[in-house]
Amino acid sequence: MDHRDGQSVEHQKKDPQQHPHPCFTNFTTHHQQQKWEDPSLLDYSTRIEPPFQAFNPNCQTKSSFPCNPNNQIKVPDPIMNELLQASKVQDWDPSAMLNNLSFLEQKIHQLQGLVHSIIGRGGQVLGQPDELVAQQQQLITAALTSIIVQLISTAGSLLPSVKHHTLCGAPPAASLAQFQPQNGGGNSVPELPNTVDVSSNSGEQQNHVMEEHEMKDEEDAEELGESLFPGTYEILQLEKEEILAPHTHFCTICGKGFKRDANLRMHMRGHGDEYKTPAALAKPNKESSSEPALIKRYSCPFAGCKRNKDHKKFQPLKTILCVKNHYKRSHCDKSYICSRCHTKKFSVIADLKTHEKHCGKDKWLCSCGTTFSRKDKLFGHIALFQGHTPAIPLDETKGPIAPSDPGDGSEATNVVGSMNFFNFGSENGVDVKGSLDDPAAYFSPLNFETCNFGGFHEFPRPASDDSETSLAFLLSGTCSYNNNHNDVERS
Amino acid sequence: MKTQSKRRPQPLSPDSSPNPFDILTEEIVCKILDHLHNDPFATKAFSLTCKAFYFIESRHRRILKPLRPELLPRIFHRYPFVSHLDLSMCPRVDDNTLNVISSTWKATLQSINLSRSRFFTNAGLSSLFVNCSGLVEVDLCNATQLTDLAASAIAEAKNLERLSLARCKSITDMGIGCIAVGCRKLRSLCLKWCLRVGDLGVELIALKCKQISSLDLSYLPITEKSLNSVLQLQHLEDLVLEGCHGIDDDGLSTLDQSCKSLKMLNLSNCQNVTHTGLSSLINGTEQLQQIILAYGSSVTSDLVKCLNAYSKVQSVKLDGCTVTWSGIKAMASLNAPVKELSLSKCLGLTDDGLSFLVQSHKDLRKLDITCCRKITYTSIDIITNSCTSLTSLRMESCSLVPKEAFVLIGARCSFLEELDATDNEIDDEGLKSISRCSKLSILKLGICSNISDEGLAKVGSSCLMLKEVDLYSTPLASTLIMTEILLVQTTKCSYCQAEGSEGLKDIRSVAISDAGIAAIGDGCPALEMINIAYNDKITDNSLISLSKCRLLKALEIRGCLGVSSIGLSAIAVGCKQLTVLDIKKCFNINDNGMLPLAQFSQNLKQVIYLLKLMFL
């Protein structure tokens, strides 16, 4: 226990700067609640925000950082509250609940006995080697873990009532955070802080709320390139370590990290039958399309960067993915070298892959020896200079087949990004309606669950994939929505 | 002429008296030879006279059109100063041939036509263009095998001014880019059907070849993006944008350039361009003379009003368009003195409209109202009344025009040079009237069932200038199998399928016989083309009279069962310039007719015959 505490303290120190995000979610919930009560505001949000809402669940889940699993748990809290406020109480089976609770009680008693015995022995064998202590500790945490899992699953069935109790503090979150580390310590992410204290967390929240407000004030004074009103979005800033972390999804049981939530879900199957149910394996539903959350924008932590919120002509980044790619491209070493030409370097693997796809091919060559990746660029060059002609390779039998419009790597990314963005808008319009019709159903336990374990995408994947997958995600979410609607019992 | 030039030296040489040509310098003889270009046999006869003439002729010849590629090696030695080489009769021209050509006529060659040739590649072209730096004109149409490498070879021809690359489907923007950079003196460029050339290539052409005056961009996948650059060309006069479906009103509205020098604009088959696009395209062109909007959007007053500002417009072609009454009215009020009007297959063109139109354009020289089926006597009356200087009238398949109308044509349009009355009611009276048009050179009377020898005789005796006569008749059902009828319907009635069957019904009652043809053969020495297909009363006598037309180049006697080998031999002997012969279904022609053909008709390019005549 001491060992763990030490770690948690460590984490506590880092936390305020390092993980600003988690509290942010809480922050938003305040707003959400306010807005929820105000019909006009609600109306406003449904009218204006839809395009971003699809992002928000993603962003939230993405931004919630691996070493901070409690955040994942806290996300649903506001939803539950809202649910309560909407006075939509789900049906639940009290007898089953009682069974569960008594089972838990038993388990806790067992654990209690175990700890008692340790304490009792602790006086006798003071000089015992640390090994034994560690063993015992492990035993206890394992037992705790199972209890917590049980508790959570029980809570899932009780969603409305549980929420009410977890509103102020975050006991389940804290406990979850506690159980997570024990195995995680031996994992591939050793720098991961193992525990998160509730107190530290709440303090952090306050901190951030303040920070957020400060930021807002700054924003108001600034001119923004976007057509957003200064007050309609908030700025988040991830730290360098967060941005560069390899994994974004972590197993709550063994702590193993994953890049994709789907992989995590596959992995979870190995931890027990409860993870094999269709609900557990289903794609995470974005839980907050009716949530009138503020639009989020991101700031680059690199001082002096135009994407940094302190910059005079600050231009915010739209998504976490943008932050990641921007930070890697602009402020990191380009460590990936093209294996074909050995000259082009990239810091984002997706860029490298995009480049390698076209490297060597589609070389539009001028007689002066300059090569171009795009035909129109070559023709622009030829138009500009006297005597330069397009060079046609001698070995080819046919003229180079012109790619319809070969886009440069970065450009393509940008285009896809923006398109992606609009796709969301259209998709969401539908979603919002659906959720408005029946908000309670939308905040079904499934959402809660997906918040816990899913909602993450692998970050360094090619941007071009993005539109498809996220769209598919959306679609699947809306489709599975009805199926999950009745699935109140969390398995 | 041939006989004259042969005879002239004859009395002189036996006496071994001084040859008068010895006194003349070579330049003067060459000047004489210059005047022989009309008759290919004259120069040939001249060269065969003596060694000196042979020598002079070989030095003098500039234009060469070899009929057989296998004779090329000998030609190389004989004619050292050829500047225009037409290889359109040589389907097989390989790299080797081009190599020899380029090394033989290194400095002299100015133009070469490879439009019908194949089997040469970029290697041959490369040696051609590198060696023959004086090349000014190159025709590479239909060279679908040519790639961008060939285009880069063309780019070596720095002095090239006219280049045709129609249907060079493998050449892309890259190749065109090479040509644009290499051939800076280009004046005329045809890129029709170069389907892989897009905006980039055309744009570069417009940027680099500032001298271009004629540009054919038909059927290219181009948009207004490249048009902007094209319109900046200072000397552009002819612009053909036929079937450019990438060009539409929206794009054209963004054009910020206008071409002041433009004289001819062809927007045929551009369905996406309406009056708004047209007006922005020709905005600022002061010299516009000819505009072709065939098969485009319907002719409305808005469309025509676009043309109102251009006072020099002389020719308007609206074939296949839907014509509205308001459009006609607007056209009638055009300021420009329209001289050529083409309204063939215009839906909605009525007597009223056409009458109204021609009354305000009295200077009309050429009028095409083919397949305007609502036209009646009234229109013809008013046309002939107001447009007395008409030189060309094409009115094929104007089925409502009665025979009396043709009397008016002959009586009032004395300057008529071309009359297409195919599939009409014209009769002998009409022909007699038309025979007053002494300048008539093209007369088409196919499927006209009311004409007979009498009318033809009158035409033959009066119209001395006749070059082309079409007396095609519908094949008699009894003599033909049904498939042939169908074939005829599709081939002959190229405009309207429906008319074919109609024409079949009224089989020529008064058939044309030898007397009529003989009149034409005797009276029209300038005759170059005659079609007397399916006139079964025609016999050898007709052909014998036609053999007097020494300039005859094309003869179609398909399905003339009365013709035998005797007549064909007479043609072969008399008409040495015969190039096209159609004797399909002339079942009475046998080897005896074909042998003289092989012997005398050395210009023959094409013989159409039935499989039965396997001896060919």
Side-chain angles (χ1 to χ4, degrees):
Chain A
M1 277 290 189
D2 286 353
H3 176 61
R4 239 190 286 147
D5 282 347
Q7 280 184 334
S8 71
V9 170
E10 223 180 273
H11 183 233
Q12 197 181 334
K13 282 179 197 162
K14 280 200 271 182
D15 233 1
Q17 299 88 34
Q18 206 177 341
H19 311 295
H21 189 67
C23 61
F24 163 69
T25 46
N26 272 1
F27 170 73
T28 35
T29 57
H30 290 300
H31 283 261
Q32 283 159 17
Q33 283 163 21
Q34 285 166 10
K35 283 185 179 174
W36 193 251
E37 283 152 14
D38 186 343
S40 66
L41 265 175
L42 179 73
D43 191 42
Y44 158 82
S45 65
T46 48
R47 214 174 358 96
I48 293 186
E49 294 191 341
F52 305 101
Q53 281 177 351
F55 264 104
N56 289 341
N58 267 352
C59 300
Q60 274 183 354
T61 43
K62 278 176 190 168
S63 60
S64 52
F65 199 65
C67 56
N68 221 354
N70 56 337
N71 164 54
Q72 294 171 13
I73 294 209
K74 275 192 286 181
V75 175
D77 290 352
I79 303 157
M80 296 174 196
N81 287 327
E82 282 167 23
L83 212 61
L84 269 185
Q85 284 171 359
S87 67
K88 298 262 178 175
V89 181
Q90 308 269 340
D91 290 339
W92 58 285
D93 185 3
S95 62
M97 171 60 63
L98 197 67
N99 272 346
N100 281 343
L101 286 177
S102 53
F103 175 73
L104 276 173
E105 200 180 28
Q106 265 186 345
K107 276 232 168 177
I108 289 171
H109 270 297
Q110 280 174 7
L111 195 61
Q112 220 170 7
L114 189 69
V115 176
H116 267 299
S117 73
I118 290 171
I119 291 168
R121 262 186 297 160
Q124 291 170 9
V125 257
L126 205 73
Q128 257 188 334
D130 284 345
E131 235 180 299
L132 192 66
V133 179
Q135 248 180 6
Q136 286 166 349
Q137 201 179 321
Q138 225 167 17
L139 206 65
I140 292 165
T141 46
L144 264 175
T145 309
S146 74
I147 290 169
I148 289 160
V149 169
Q150 279 291 327
L151 192 67
I152 289 170
S153 62
T154 317
S157 65
L158 286 174
L159 210 61
S161 47
V162 171
K163 252 181 284 166
H164 195 60
H165 297 295
T166 54
L167 176 60
C168 314
S175 51
L176 189 70
Q178 275 173 345
F179 79 71
Q180 196 248 338
Q182 88 237 337
N183 295 337
N187 249 323
S188 58
V189 211
E191 79 280 349
L192 226 63
N194 280 340
T195 53
V196 177
D197 244 11
V198 187
S199 60
S200 79
N201 228 335
S202 54
E204 184 189 314
Q205 283 166 20
Q206 286 161 10
N207 248 344
H208 269 268
V209 172
M210 281 169 61
E211 220 178 278
E212 222 51 59
H213 282 302
E214 280 167 20
M215 262 188 244
K216 281 257 182 64
D217 293 341
E218 285 170 22
E219 267 171 47
D220 289 340
E222 279 167 5
E223 279 286 317
L224 292 159
E226 277 177 290
S227 54
L228 292 168
F229 296 108
T232 55
Y233 70 96
E234 48 204 339
I235 297 173
L236 307 173
Q237 184 170 302
L238 302 182
E239 287 308 317
K240 184 188 166 192
E241 288 76 13
E242 288 178 288
I243 290 169
L244 298 178
H247 296 145
T248 45
H249 303 266
F250 291 88
C251 174
T252 46
I253 294 168
C254 65
K256 193 175 178 191
F258 296 92
K259 286 180 177 173
R260 294 170 192 264
D261 69 321
N263 293 347
L264 173 65
R265 271 180 278 127
M266 290 301 112
H267 163 86
M268 291 309 283
R269 293 185 305 174
H271 283 303
D273 284 342
E274 67 262 40
Y275 299 108
K276 291 180 182 171
T277 61
L281 287 172
K283 275 204 167 182
N285 223 339
K286 36 154 197 42
E287 86 280 23
S288 62
S289 53
S290 71
E291 187 181 298
L294 274 181
I295 299 155
K296 297 180 191 81
R297 286 294 178 267
Y298 297 88
S299 156
C300 169
F302 195 90
C305 172
K306 199 176 183 183
R307 303 296 198 170
N308 184 273
K309 59 181 190 290
D310 297 329
H311 194 273
K312 272 184 186 171
K313 293 177 178 175
F314 171 56
Q315 287 185 326
L317 294 153
K318 275 181 185 158
T319 64
I320 298 261
L321 192 67
C322 295
V323 177
K324 286 207 159 206
N325 282 338
H326 160 77
Y327 192 84
K328 284 183 186 167
R329 283 184 186 131
S330 312
H331 312 302
C332 290
D333 288 338
K334 296 184 173 178
S335 47
Y336 303 113
I337 300 168
C338 173
S339 58
R340 295 198 202 189
C341 61
H342 299 289
T343 49
K344 282 263 184 186
K345 293 176 182 175
F346 302 90
S347 48
V348 177
I349 252 189
D351 292 352
L352 171 72
K353 283 179 181 165
T354 315
H355 164 78
E356 278 185 333
K357 243 182 244 172
H358 301 287
C359 184
K361 286 186 290 177
D362 298 337
K363 275 287 169 196
W364 301 100
L365 183 65
C366 176
S367 58
C368 68
T370 322
T371 57
F372 297 87
S373 57
R374 287 169 51 174
K375 191 161 81 165
D376 54 336
K377 299 289 172 199
L378 166 67
F379 276 71
H381 168 87
I382 289 163
L384 204 61
F385 294 99
Q386 294 281 323
H388 291 212
T389 75
I392 292 145
L394 283 169
D395 50 352
E396 72 175 344
T397 47
K398 282 195 164 190
I401 291 157
S404 58
D405 235 336
D408 211 6
S410 59
E411 270 181 52
T413 316
N414 285 340
V415 170
V416 170
S418 60
M419 275 168 60
N420 185 4
F421 178 75
F422 287 114
N423 277 340
F424 276 132
S426 58
E427 270 307 311
N428 246 351
V430 182
D431 273 5
V432 170
K433 272 184 197 162
S435 57
L436 277 178
D437 289 345
D438 191 359
Y442 211 79
F443 303 133
S444 69
L446 186 89
N447 286 329
F448 171 73
E449 169 195 298
T450 53
C451 284
N452 274 339
F453 304 119
F456 290 85
H457 287 288
E458 191 195 17
F459 286 130
R461 95 202 122 114
S464 51
D465 283 5
D466 206 56
S467 63
E468 259 189 21
T469 47
S470 19
L471 200 61
F473 164 76
L474 262 172
L475 284 169
S476 72
T478 45
C479 291
S480 59
Y481 162 74
N482 280 334
N483 299 339
N484 299 326
H485 174 87
N486 298 327
D487 191 11
V488 183
E489 284 271 331
R490 184 176 179 261
S491 43
Chain B
M1 261 214 201
K2 174 186 118 190
T3 45
Q4 279 172 1
S5 53
K6 246 184 187 174
R7 245 174 247 152
R8 232 179 285 148
Q10 267 174 0
L12 298 165
S13 41
D15 304 343
S16 73
S17 60
N19 185 343
F21 279 84
D22 288 344
I23 307 160
L24 300 174
T25 61
E26 206 177 300
E27 284 82 29
I28 293 170
V29 180
C30 285
K31 283 278 173 200
I32 297 169
L33 277 175
D34 281 344
H35 292 279
L36 294 180
H37 62 269
N38 285 331
D39 185 356
F41 294 99
T43 43
K44 195 181 175 187
F46 177 83
S47 67
L48 290 174
T49 308
C50 64
K51 275 188 177 174
F53 282 12
Y54 182 90
F55 182 77
I56 289 172
E57 199 271 334
S58 68
R59 303 274 138 171
H60 174 261
R61 184 176 279 275
R62 297 286 178 270
I63 304 164
L64 197 61
K65 188 177 182 181
L67 294 179
R68 289 183 193 82
E70 60 268 23
L71 297 178
L72 270 173
R74 273 196 274 167
I75 293 172
F76 293 142
H77 297 292
R78 181 167 168 188
Y79 298 110
F81 296 119
V82 165
S83 61
H84 302 280
L85 183 62
D86 186 349
L87 293 171
S88 56
M89 300 300 294
C90 308
R92 188 178 186 94
V93 176
D94 56 10
D95 283 348
N96 217 358
T97 318
L98 284 184
N99 284 336
V100 178
I101 288 171
S102 60
S103 54
T104 311
W105 294 306
K106 232 175 205 172
T108 60
L109 202 62
Q110 286 179 13
S111 92
I112 188 165
N113 184 345
L114 291 163
S115 59
R116 303 287 183 95
S117 313
R118 299 198 63 168
F119 302 106
F120 58 89
T121 68
N122 57 292
L125 282 182
S126 181
S127 75
L128 181 72
F129 290 117
V130 167
N131 288 324
C132 306
S133 54
L135 267 175
V136 170
E137 183 177 8
V138 175
D139 191 341
L140 287 167
C141 289
N142 307 314
T144 47
Q145 79 278 13
L146 291 187
T147 63
D148 283 344
L149 280 176
S152 66
I154 296 169
E156 298 292 327
K158 305 286 179 210
N159 293 315
L160 208 59
E161 287 180 12
R162 286 183 296 279
L163 176 64
S164 177
L165 292 172
R167 269 189 79 225
C168 289
K169 291 189 227 173
S170 308
I171 292 183
T172 70
D173 284 333
M174 293 292 276
I176 294 301
C178 291
I179 291 172
V181 175
C183 312
R184 303 298 282 272
K185 293 183 180 172
L186 270 183
R187 287 174 190 278
S188 162
L189 178 64
C190 174
L191 294 174
K192 194 174 186 174
W193 286 310
C194 292
L195 298 176
R196 294 175 72 183
V197 175
D199 274 337
L200 290 173
V202 173
E203 216 171 348
L204 201 64
I205 286 277
L207 278 174
K208 295 284 183 183
C209 308
K210 293 288 185 196
Q211 304 292 316
I212 282 189
S213 66
S214 164
L215 193 55
D216 188 344
L217 304 173
S218 302
Y219 301 98
L220 292 196
I222 54 167
T223 66
E224 69 284 349
K225 202 176 150 228
S226 52
L227 270 191
N228 237 339
S229 319
V230 166
L231 292 179
Q232 285 185 52
L233 289 167
Q234 296 288 314
H235 305 286
L236 189 67
E237 290 180 1
D238 298 350
L239 180 59
V240 185
L241 296 171
E242 200 180 326
C244 291
H245 297 294
I247 296 173
D248 54 16
D249 282 350
D250 291 344
L252 289 177
S253 63
T254 64
L255 290 180
D256 48 3
Q257 297 294 331
S258 66
C259 186
K260 288 199 175 71
S261 53
L262 199 66
K263 284 185 179 164
M264 190 277 277
L265 177 66
N266 187 344
L267 276 174
S268 303
N269 263 318
C270 293
Q271 272 104 358
N272 299 333
V273 180
T274 65
H275 61 95
T276 51
L278 178 69
S279 60
S280 46
L281 189 58
I282 58 176
N283 179 33
T285 60
E286 294 148 6
Q287 306 291 324
L288 199 66
Q289 288 176 359
Q290 185 178 17
I291 183 137
I292 303 171
L293 301 169
Y295 303 101
S297 54
S298 66
V299 181
T300 57
S301 57
D302 289 334
L303 187 80
V304 180
K305 275 172 190 164
C306 297
L307 305 175
N308 240 338
Y310 308 100
S311 54
K312 292 181 179 172
V313 173
Q314 291 184 352
S315 166
V316 180
K317 296 194 177 179
L318 301 166
D319 309 66
C321 294
T322 312
V323 180
T324 63
W325 175 239
S326 60
I328 290 285
K329 274 206 284 191
M331 287 216 23
S333 57
L334 274 184
N335 296 326
V338 177
K339 289 187 176 159
E340 187 177 356
L341 196 54
S342 192
L343 297 165
S344 69
K345 285 158 278 172
C346 275
L347 287 174
L349 188 68
T350 57
D351 266 344
D352 291 345
L354 189 59
S355 312
F356 191 64
L357 191 55
V358 292
Q359 273 172 328
S360 55
H361 294 290
K362 301 204 175 198
D363 275 348
L364 218 56
R365 298 289 152 85
K366 291 185 175 180
L367 180 64
D368 188 344
I369 47 171
T370 302
C371 290
C372 289
R373 294 169 180 285
K374 292 177 183 168
I375 302 301
T376 65
Y377 181 84
T378 330
S379 290
I380 303 297
D381 185 25
I382 293 171
I383 288 170
T384 51
N385 226 344
S386 47
C387 311
T388 45
S389 48
L390 212 61
T391 60
S392 164
L393 178 61
R394 305 172 116 198
M395 45 182 295
E396 179 180 343
S397 295
C398 289
S399 39
L400 291 183
V401 175
K403 47 193 166 192
E404 293 79 20
F406 293 93
V407 180
L408 296 181
I409 294 173
R412 292 170 183 171
C413 304
S414 51
F415 299 106
L416 212 60
E417 290 170 19
E418 180 186 2
L419 176 66
D420 185 348
T422 305
D423 193 14
N424 267 304
E425 296 295 315
I426 185 169
D427 63 354
D428 284 342
E429 289 306 309
L431 275 185
K432 280 177 191 167
S433 168
I434 282 164
S435 68
R436 277 182 247 171
C437 309
S438 55
K439 289 182 177 172
L440 202 67
S441 71
I442 298 174
L443 180 61
K444 296 192 175 178
L445 301 167
I447 335 180
C448 293
S449 45
N450 299 333
I451 55 167
S452 71
D453 287 340
E454 197 188 342
L456 274 187
K458 184 72 179 134
V459 168
S461 59
S462 313
C463 306
L464 299 177
M465 314 274 277
L466 263 186
K467 282 186 176 174
E468 207 177 315
V469 178
D470 188 350
L471 296 168
Y472 176 92
S473 169
T474 40
L476 285 168
S478 57
T479 58
L480 293 168
I481 38 175
M482 272 323 276
T483 51
E484 177 63 23
I485 297 172
L486 290 174
L487 183 79
V488 166
Q489 282 180 30
T490 49
T491 53
K492 191 61 199 173
C493 298
S494 53
Y495 296 128
C496 305
Q497 292 280 325
E499 198 52 33
S501 51
E502 216 175 291
L504 260 182
K505 277 180 222 155
D506 35 58
I507 289 156
R508 184 168 288 165
S509 49
V510 195
I512 296 165
S513 69
D514 286 340
I517 304 297
I520 288 178
D522 293 336
C524 313
L527 200 68
E528 289 179 5
M529 191 232 127
I530 187 163
N531 185 346
I532 42 177
Y534 296 113
N535 287 302
D536 53 352
K537 290 192 181 167
I538 299 288
T539 66
D540 288 337
N541 292 333
S542 293
L543 294 193
I544 290 166
S545 18
L546 283 177
S547 66
K548 291 171 200 157
C549 306
R550 289 182 49 248
L551 298 173
L552 197 68
K553 291 193 173 79
L555 174 65
E556 291 187 43
I557 47 172
R558 179 184 296 203
C560 294
L561 299 174
V563 171
S564 73
S565 302
I566 301 165
L568 193 62
S569 330
I571 291 286
V573 174
C575 313
K576 291 237 169 59
Q577 295 197 39
L578 199 67
T579 50
V580 176
L581 177 66
D582 185 345
I583 48 169
K584 192 172 179 179
K585 292 181 189 298
C586 296
F587 299 118
N588 294 322
I589 293 176
N590 57 23
D591 281 359
N592 296 332
M594 300 312 281
L595 286 174
L597 204 62
Q599 190 184 346
F600 294 103
S601 301
Q602 287 169 358
N603 277 345
L604 212 55
K605 290 178 197 167
Q606 188 183 15
V607 182
I608 303 165
Y609 59 96
L610 205 61
L611 282 175
K612 201 177 165 187
L613 308 170
M614 285 298 288
F615 44 79
L616 248 188

